[in-house]
CSV table of all heavy atoms in Angstrom, one decimal:
chain,number,residue,atom,x,y,z
A,10,THR,N,19.5,124.8,77.0
A,10,THR,CA,19.0,123.6,76.3
A,10,THR,C,18.6,123.8,74.8
A,10,THR,O,18.3,124.9,74.4
A,10,THR,CB,17.8,123.0,77.1
A,10,THR,OG1,17.4,121.8,76.5
A,10,THR,CG2,16.7,124.0,77.1
A,11,ASP,N,18.7,122.6,74.1
A,11,ASP,CA,18.3,122.7,72.7
A,11,ASP,C,17.4,121.5,72.4
A,11,ASP,O,17.7,120.6,71.6
A,11,ASP,CB,19.6,122.6,71.8
A,11,ASP,CG,20.3,121.3,71.9
A,11,ASP,OD1,20.3,120.6,73.0
A,11,ASP,OD2,21.0,120.9,70.9
A,12,PRO,N,16.2,121.5,73.0
A,12,PRO,CA,15.3,120.3,72.9
A,12,PRO,C,15.0,120.0,71.4
A,12,PRO,O,14.5,120.9,70.7
A,12,PRO,CB,14.1,120.8,73.7
A,12,PRO,CG,14.4,121.9,74.4
A,12,PRO,CD,15.6,122.6,73.8
A,13,GLY,N,15.1,118.8,71.2
A,13,GLY,CA,15.8,117.6,71.6
A,13,GLY,C,15.0,116.7,72.6
A,13,GLY,O,14.7,117.2,73.7
A,15,ASP,N,16.1,114.1,74.3
A,15,ASP,CA,16.8,113.8,75.6
A,15,ASP,C,16.8,115.0,76.5
A,15,ASP,O,16.7,114.9,77.7
A,15,ASP,CB,18.2,113.2,75.3
A,15,ASP,CG,19.1,114.2,74.5
A,15,ASP,OD1,18.6,114.8,73.5
A,15,ASP,OD2,20.3,114.3,74.9
A,16,ASP,N,16.9,116.3,75.8
A,16,ASP,CA,16.8,117.5,76.6
A,16,ASP,C,15.4,117.5,77.4
A,16,ASP,O,15.3,117.8,78.5
A,16,ASP,CB,16.8,118.7,75.8
A,16,ASP,CG,18.1,118.8,74.9
A,16,ASP,OD1,18.3,118.0,74.0
A,16,ASP,OD2,18.9,119.8,75.2
A,41,ASN,N,20.2,121.2,68.3
A,41,ASN,CA,19.5,120.1,67.6
A,41,ASN,C,18.7,120.6,66.4
A,41,ASN,O,18.6,119.9,65.4
A,41,ASN,CB,18.7,119.3,68.6
A,41,ASN,CG,19.5,118.4,69.5
A,41,ASN,OD1,20.5,117.8,69.1
A,41,ASN,ND2,19.1,118.4,70.8
A,84,HIS,N,16.7,114.0,65.7
A,84,HIS,CA,15.6,114.4,66.5
A,84,HIS,C,14.3,114.7,65.7
A,84,HIS,O,13.3,115.0,66.3
A,84,HIS,CB,16.0,115.7,67.3
A,84,HIS,CG,17.2,115.4,68.2
A,84,HIS,ND1,17.1,115.0,69.5
A,84,HIS,CD2,18.5,115.6,68.0
A,84,HIS,CE1,18.2,114.8,70.0
A,84,HIS,NE2,19.2,115.2,69.2
A,127,LEU,N,22.8,121.8,78.2
A,127,LEU,CA,22.5,120.5,77.6
A,127,LEU,C,22.7,120.5,76.1
A,127,LEU,O,22.3,119.6,75.4
A,127,LEU,CB,21.0,120.1,77.9
A,127,LEU,CG,20.6,120.1,79.4
A,127,LEU,CD1,19.1,119.8,79.5
A,127,LEU,CD2,21.5,119.3,80.2
A,128,GLY,N,23.2,121.6,75.5
A,128,GLY,CA,23.3,121.8,74.1
A,128,GLY,C,24.7,122.5,73.8
A,128,GLY,O,25.5,122.5,74.7
A,129,PRO,N,24.8,123.0,72.6
A,129,PRO,CA,26.1,123.8,72.4
A,129,PRO,C,26.2,124.9,73.4
A,129,PRO,O,25.2,125.5,73.9
A,129,PRO,CB,25.8,124.4,71.0
A,129,PRO,CG,24.8,123.4,70.3
A,129,PRO,CD,24.0,122.9,71.5
A,153,MET,N,26.3,118.4,79.5
A,153,MET,CA,26.4,117.2,78.7
A,153,MET,C,27.2,117.6,77.5
A,153,MET,O,26.8,118.6,76.8
A,153,MET,CB,25.0,116.7,78.2
A,153,MET,CG,25.1,115.3,77.6
A,153,MET,SD,25.6,115.4,75.8
A,153,MET,CE,26.6,114.0,75.6
A,170,ASN,N,27.4,118.5,70.8
A,170,ASN,CA,27.3,119.8,71.5
A,170,ASN,C,28.6,120.6,71.4
A,170,ASN,O,28.5,121.8,71.2
A,170,ASN,CB,26.9,119.6,73.0
A,170,ASN,CG,25.5,119.2,73.2
A,170,ASN,OD1,24.7,119.4,72.3
A,170,ASN,ND2,25.2,118.6,74.3
A,244,ASP,N,21.2,113.9,78.0
A,244,ASP,CA,21.0,115.1,78.9
A,244,ASP,C,20.4,114.8,80.2
A,244,ASP,O,20.8,115.4,81.2
A,244,ASP,CB,20.1,116.1,78.1
A,244,ASP,CG,20.8,116.6,76.9
A,244,ASP,OD1,22.1,116.6,76.8
A,244,ASP,OD2,20.1,117.0,75.9
B,402,CA,CA1,20.8,118.6,74.0
Side-chain angles (χ1 to χ4, degrees):
T10 181
D11 64 335
D15 60 317
D16 301 68
N41 284 322
H84 300 274
L127 309 179
M153 192 278 143
N170 286 342
D244 296 335

